[in-house]
Amino acid sequence: DADVTQTPRNRITKTGKRIMLECSQTKGHDRMYWYRQDPGLGLRLIYYSFDVKDINKGEISDGYSVSRQAQAKFSLSLESAIPNQTALYFCATSDPTGGGTYNEQFFGPGTRLTVL
Amino acid sequence: GESVGLHLPTLSVQEGDNSIINCAYSNSASDYFIWYKQESGKGPQFIIDIRSNMDKRQGQRVTVLLNKTVKHLSLQIAATQPGDSAVYFCAVRDRGSTLGRLYFGRGTQLTVWP
């Protein structure tokens, strides 16, 4: 969905490096999410934010931190990357108060991160 | 919390046949269900949703069926086409979740062959 963009799309880094993944959206949604996808495990929630002043941990937040710089921007950081953080990372947004479907989440194209 | 599982990790069908992808959930308080399609190299895209006060909902070539008695959800794709090849996820929302959190299943890889 072009309304949700992620940078970079691919990243290879080394163990111990600090990495930031960025997400921007033009949908005007208040709610933003970071997910991790591993083969055979589906999507797992890392962090979510329901507005600029709200940050919440998901089910696998250890080793990650986030920053909600503005309504449109939500960044995910790996302070000291480790190999088992190699995965596909997705940002998503939702606006349950708006028109359309109820609580639908719109996903970005993903960032493929490899930690060597 | 919620546990969401899919019955089959892979499904292969012939072009033109109907496809059925199944999903089971654990929490009887779940009130909203979504099917997503994920093509290779892309993020999940919304296909169809259904609320717990409904048993069936139809879209273009897709139908979602909800059986709350056995906590089972299915996605039916009519006249499956090669462009339908993708991974399909079900997602479930807990009514008890004040934050509207979705729980995702592991995905079924649908392959359509000519």
Side-chain angles (χ1 to χ4, degrees):
Chain A
D1 190 330
D3 297 324
V4 184
T5 58
Q6 293 182 233
T7 56
R9 293 295 313 277
N10 289 282
R11 182 72 183 268
I12 300 173
T13 190
K14 295 181 178 179
T15 297
K17 293 292 186 179
R18 184 179 187 274
I19 296 296
M20 179 179 285
L21 309 183
E22 300 190 8
C23 177
S24 295
Q25 53 111 347
T26 58
K27 302 186 79 68
H29 291 172
D30 286 327
R31 298 185 175 187
M32 297 188 74
Y33 310 79
W34 274 104
Y35 290 92
R36 168 177 172 160
Q37 185 177 41
D38 297 275
L41 292 181
L43 290 162
R44 292 184 291 168
L45 183 63
I46 306 173
Y47 270 96
Y48 57 101
S49 168
F50 280 10
D51 63 45
V52 176
K53 298 179 181 180
D54 175 77
I55 300 290
N56 304 281
K57 292 183 177 180
E59 58 187 299
I60 55 164
S61 59
D62 288 349
Y64 302 94
S65 62
V66 291
S67 173
R68 186 79 184 266
Q69 301 96 322
Q71 186 204 39
K73 296 184 181 297
F74 192 35
S75 300
L76 176 71
S77 293
L78 288 67
E79 296 301 325
S80 180
I82 57 177
N84 75 1
Q85 291 178 311
T86 293
L88 192 54
Y89 290 85
F90 288 102
C91 174
T93 75
S94 72
D95 179 21
T97 60
T101 54
Y102 178 64
N103 209 49
E104 175 189 351
Q105 293 185 16
F106 298 85
F107 286 82
T111 294
R112 184 169 295 281
L113 177 66
T114 302
V115 184
L116 301 176
Chain B
E2 177 69 82
S3 174
V4 182
L6 282 158
H7 292 187
L8 289 174
T10 62
L11 177 66
S12 294
V13 300
Q14 190 169 18
E15 182 178 359
D17 286 352
N18 296 332
S19 302
I20 300 176
I21 300 172
N22 297 301
C23 184
Y25 61 96
S26 63
N27 192 338
S28 57
S30 299
D31 66 346
Y32 179 61
F33 308 85
I34 309 175
W35 280 101
Y36 283 92
K37 172 185 180 183
Q38 185 179 18
E39 296 175 286
S40 180
K42 297 183 179 179
Q45 290 183 298
F46 171 89
I47 302 174
I48 192 168
D49 61 353
I50 188 168
R51 298 193 188 192
S52 57
N53 61 354
M54 302 173 67
D55 298 322
K56 178 180 180 179
R57 191 166 187 218
Q58 288 183 295
Q60 187 177 12
R61 284 200 307 117
V62 294
T63 300
V64 56
L65 298 178
L66 177 63
N67 185 329
K68 294 179 288 295
T69 302
V70 296
K71 296 193 283 291
H72 182 270
L73 182 72
S74 69
L75 175 71
Q76 300 179 1
I77 304 173
T80 313
Q81 303 170 359
D84 295 326
S85 292
V87 177
Y88 291 82
F89 294 95
C90 63
V92 177
R93 191 192 92 120
D94 275 345
R95 182 183 297 127
S97 168
T98 58
L99 301 175
R101 177 178 168 179
L102 293 177
Y103 293 85
F104 288 82
R106 297 184 177 188
T108 290
Q109 171 70 58
L110 174 66
T111 302
V112 182
W113 44 280

